[in-house]
């Protein structure tokens, strides 16, 4: 289902404590909100990766289990913490027991490249949850309004030594993120990650197909209002 793009080199670059998505101001609000939603129950992270969120969440006292497809990512996680992890795809793999919270972060559901796969992810979350449990998704809003007429690419970030470009296939709702990293030499290191983007309304319908109702949607983990200008959202679904 998910196209696994995480080789050992990519996993090492991805796992950079203190910077980017690992910065405290990024991690801490997410962990605080997820701990609040988990309450006294157990949490399951789909695509747990290197433990960016799961490790500090477990340190807060929330029992965390993970599902992860990439062995290189798991190798890095195991160096940090002994969390129980099932090796497999988040749309189909099963973890033991029941949970009060299932969550996935940082656009992970878009790594499933078909609508059927994304619906299966919702259904897999439902299978793991107690009645009334919550499924939390952090996801970007497609930036199609930034595309000039007749073009299919947009630069989403340009820093010293790094350029990020998204290319869109609007017929299939696919995009590929291209990451160009420049060192001191003339050659660039290139990484690519394919995604299937999802509109918020489509995401809500996927939830309904799996027995969920949207409980809340905010622009970030701190609870900022979600508006037409929001670039991402944190959506909380409750299992009926």
């Amino acid at each position: 289902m998910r196209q696994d793009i995480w080789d050992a080199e990519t996993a090492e670059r991805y796992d950079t404590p203190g910077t980017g998505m690992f910065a405290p101001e990024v991690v801490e609000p997410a962990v605080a909100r997820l701990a609040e939603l988990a309450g006294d129950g157990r949490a399951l992270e789909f695509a747990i990766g290197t433990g960016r969120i799961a490790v500090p969440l477990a340190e807060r006292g929330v029992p965390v289990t993970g599902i992860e497809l990439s062995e290189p990512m798991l190798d890095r996680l195991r160096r940090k913490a002994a969390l129980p992890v099932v090796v497999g795809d988040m749309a189909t793999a099963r973890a033991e027991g029941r949970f009060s919270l299932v969550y996935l972060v940082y656009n992970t559901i878009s790594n499933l490249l078909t609508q059927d796969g994304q619906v299966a992810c919702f259904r897999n979350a439902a299978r793991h949850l107690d009645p009334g449990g919550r499924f939390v998704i952090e996801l970007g809003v497609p930036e199609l309004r930034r595309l000039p007429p007749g073009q299919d690419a947009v630069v989403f970030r340009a820093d010293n030594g790094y350029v990020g470009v998204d290319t869109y296939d609007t017929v299939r709702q696919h995009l590929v993120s291209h990451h160009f990293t420049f060192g001191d030499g003339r050659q660039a290191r290139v990484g690519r990650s394919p995604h299937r983007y999802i509109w918020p309304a489509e995401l809500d319908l996927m939830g309904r197909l799996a027995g969920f109702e949207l409980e809340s949607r905010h622009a970030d983990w701190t609870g900022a209002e979600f508006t037409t200008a929001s670039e991402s959202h944190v959506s909380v679904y409750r299992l009926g």
Side-chain angles (χ1 to χ4, degrees):
M1 296 282 243
R2 182 183 124 193
Q3 182 169 340
D4 185 24
I5 59 173
W6 302 110
D7 57 18
E9 181 181 359
T10 305
E12 183 174 359
R13 295 203 310 270
Y14 175 84
D15 190 13
T16 310
T19 62
M21 61 190 295
F22 280 84
E25 62 269 23
V26 176
V27 172
E28 290 171 5
V31 171
R33 178 63 172 143
L34 291 169
E36 176 187 3
L37 291 169
D40 296 328
R42 302 169 64 217
L44 173 64
E45 179 169 356
F46 284 174
I48 193 172
T50 65
R52 178 180 71 96
I53 299 299
V55 171
L57 184 60
E59 290 172 349
R60 282 183 175 242
V62 178
V64 181
T65 297
I67 291 175
E68 176 56 51
L69 184 62
S70 168
E71 288 285 0
M73 298 286 268
L74 284 177
D75 288 343
R76 298 193 70 83
L77 170 61
R78 290 172 182 135
R79 299 174 199 175
K80 303 176 186 179
L83 299 179
V85 179
V86 174
V87 179
D89 191 287
M90 60 186 167
T92 56
R94 296 295 302 271
E96 291 187 7
R98 309 287 289 185
F99 301 84
S100 64
L101 176 70
V102 178
Y103 68 94
L104 52 80
V105 296
Y106 212 72
N107 302 324
T108 306
I109 194 171
S110 69
N111 291 140
L112 297 164
L113 300 180
T114 67
Q115 187 182 69
D116 286 346
Q118 292 165 350
V119 171
C121 184
F122 269 94
R123 288 176 171 153
N124 199 29
R127 282 193 290 268
H128 285 92
L129 284 168
D130 292 321
R134 295 180 175 97
F135 184 30
V136 181
I137 297 175
E138 179 187 20
L139 186 61
V141 177
E143 297 188 293
L144 297 187
R145 288 181 298 179
R146 295 182 58 193
L147 282 176
Q151 297 189 28
D152 61 1
V154 61
V155 176
F156 63 84
R157 183 175 157 194
D159 294 332
N160 185 27
Y162 174 82
V163 175
V165 179
D166 282 339
T167 55
Y168 285 84
D169 176 348
T170 56
V171 172
R172 297 190 299 160
Q173 282 185 219
H174 279 189
L175 71 87
V176 178
S177 292
H178 308 262
H179 308 275
F180 301 91
T181 306
F182 301 87
D184 296 330
R186 299 179 61 183
Q187 293 186 337
R189 185 167 56 185
V190 181
R192 297 181 178 87
S193 57
H195 304 268
R196 181 185 184 272
Y197 61 83
I198 315 168
W199 296 103
E202 182 187 8
L203 196 72
D204 294 347
L205 181 56
M206 291 179 182
R208 291 178 64 185
L209 291 172
F212 290 98
E213 291 291 338
L214 179 68
E215 182 175 82
S216 68
R217 171 169 290 132
H218 294 96
D220 58 27
W221 292 102
T222 68
E225 182 184 3
F226 180 75
T227 71
T228 57
S230 298
E231 297 180 354
S232 63
H233 59 93
V234 175
S235 297
V236 180
Y237 295 92
R238 181 183 283 272
L239 186 65

